[in-house]
Amino acid sequence: MNQGLLNSLTEAERLLVAETERDALKSLDEDELLELHQRIRRARTKYVKNYRRGASASVAKVGGRGLSYPKNQRDRDKAELFETVLARVSREVAAAARRSSMELRSERLEAARAAKSAAPAARAAAQPVPAAQRESVATKRATKTTGGLKKDASTRAAGARRQAKRDAR
């Protein structure tokens, strides 16, 4: 990084850039990385916004975009610096997310294997349900009504009439 640019940073900005060094990033967990990512993104957005506002204001004064380009070099350089730092943190966030995803996946697979190995023993211990009992359960579900058999029949007939009317179109 450009030493002159680093020297022009404020103390808070210099500390923010220092937090993105390789050794400092390795000690952070995923949530801390995301919080750092957000702080750096805010700093980058600030300097991008300052650069754009300054550049658009100087176009009218100078007479063109090409002539106003060199006028706002410091904000442009700071925006580029924070963009580079943001990319570094983004890569580290992606790596941390990938690691946690793999850990969660392996935990889920282990839990599924444990449940699968326990399932045959549970099935053997369970007693089968007699066929007569299964049929009564199925018929009870089928005869649920909303207030009476006559009302349910009327509702079904009305639905059938609506469908027949649509089909006749």
Side-chain angles (χ1 to χ4, degrees), residues 32 35 37 41 51 57 68 76 78 80 86 92 96 98 106 118 125 128-129 137 140 142 149:
E32 292 169 332
E35 190 270 328
H37 188 270
R41 196 176 62 232
Y51 167 68
S68 71
R76 185 173 48 251
K78 279 189 173 186
E80 187 176 340
L86 184 65
E92 199 61 37
R98 207 171 16 260
S106 64
V129 178
V137 170
K140 283 182 182 176
L149 294 174

Side-chain angles (χ1 to χ4, degrees), residues 138-165:
T139 55
K140 283 182 182 176
R141 284 190 197 134
T143 58
K144 268 189 180 175
T145 63
T146 57
L149 294 174
K150 189 172 180 182
K151 184 177 177 186
D152 290 341
S154 174
T155 302
R156 280 193 301 273
R161 282 193 300 273
R162 272 195 306 270
Q163 187 62 47
K165 190 175 179 181

Side-chain angles (χ1 to χ4, degrees), residues 52-101:
R52 287 182 178 162
R53 284 183 180 166
S56 67
S58 68
V59 166
K61 292 177 193 170
V62 177
R65 287 187 326 200
L67 294 173
S68 71
Y69 182 78
K71 301 286 184 200
N72 208 358
Q73 185 68 36
R74 185 168 180 246
D75 283 332
R76 185 173 48 251
D77 288 344
K78 279 189 173 186
E80 187 176 340
L81 170 74
F82 283 113
E83 184 67 39
T84 304
V85 170
L86 184 65
R88 185 183 312 158
V89 174
S90 293
R91 280 192 299 274
E92 199 61 37
V93 167
R98 207 171 16 260
R99 281 191 302 270
S100 66
S101 170

